Amino acid sequence: MAKQKVLVSACLIGMNCKYNQKNNLNPSIVDFLKDKEVILICPEVMGGLLIPRLKSEIKDNKVINELGDDVTNYFELGANKALDLALKEKVTLAILKEKSPSCGTKFSYDGTFSNKLVNKPGVFTKKLMDHSIKILTENDFNGGNKK
C-alpha cells in the first residue's frame, strides 16, 4: 500500500528556513510523519526570498516587510509553486505553520508588526483551501497525535 503523501512546512520538522534563520521544530509532527511520504515546502523560499529575510506580514491584502516594502510578488510566486507541487504530488494532507504570512490557516499577523493577530489565512493557505486537501497546523498536534 502506498504511503500517504503529506505536504509539510519545512520549519516544523526543524529546517532553519524561517525569516530569522530559525525553525519551529515540533517533535509530535516529526513522529506523526514517520510512516508518511513527506513533501517539504517553504513557500517564501520557493518564491525567491532569502534566509534570513526581513519579517513580513499581511496588510490590506498585500504582504509587506518590516521596512514597508511590498513583497507580495515573492509570496504569490512561492504559493503558486507550492500549490503546483501539492497538486502534482496528489497530497491529501498539509501540515502548515500557523500565523505565517504564507502558511497561517486561521491566523496571521495584521501588518502592524505589533504581534496582533487577525483571522486571515496566509497567501499559500488561501490557495490551498480551494482544493480538497485537509490542512492541519502545529496546534493540532500539541494536544496529542493526529491520525
Side-chain angles (χ1 to χ4, degrees):
M1 187 158 109
K3 291 181 177 183
Q4 180 184 18
K5 289 185 179 185
V6 183
L7 193 76
V8 181
S9 292
C11 63
L12 292 173
I13 61 111
M15 291 189 69
N16 294 328
C17 57
K18 283 179 57 172
Y19 73 94
N20 59 3
Q21 220 170 349
K22 295 184 180 180
N23 66 67
N24 295 300
L25 177 62
N26 185 308
S28 295
I29 292 172
V30 173
D31 186 52
F32 171 77
L33 294 170
K34 283 185 179 162
D35 62 347
K36 315 283 189 289
E37 184 176 334
V38 178
I39 299 159
L40 297 178
I41 55 138
C42 178
E44 295 166 25
V45 172
M46 293 169 83
L49 292 171
L50 302 175
I51 306 166
R53 59 188 166 274
L54 294 173
K55 188 186 287 190
S56 297
E57 295 185 1
I58 300 172
K59 182 177 186 173
D60 301 327
N61 295 317
K62 292 193 180 283
V63 185
I64 58 165
N65 68 23
E66 52 196 326
L67 294 180
D69 298 324
D70 184 342
V71 292
T72 305
N73 288 341
Y74 294 102
F75 280 77
E76 287 287 338
L77 177 62
N80 288 332
K81 285 182 175 181
L83 178 62
D84 288 347
L85 182 61
L87 297 175
K88 177 181 160 242
E89 294 292 334
K90 296 180 172 69
V91 300
T92 56
L93 174 65
I95 304 172
L96 305 177
K97 176 66 184 109
E98 189 64 275
K99 301 188 251 182
S100 158
S102 290
C103 296
T105 58
K106 295 180 181 86
F107 302 103
S108 60
Y109 291 103
D110 72 349
T112 63
F113 298 92
S114 60
N115 289 325
K116 184 178 178 201
L117 292 170
V118 290
N119 189 356
K120 181 179 234 172
V123 176
F124 171 58
T125 303
K126 203 182 307 182
K127 293 179 184 299
L128 199 61
M129 287 175 167
D130 292 336
H131 301 274
S132 54
I133 297 170
K134 182 177 180 178
I135 301 171
L136 299 175
T137 73
E138 72 277 13
N139 298 334
D140 293 304
F141 291 84
N142 292 339
N145 267 346
K146 291 284 175 192
K147 297 289 174 197

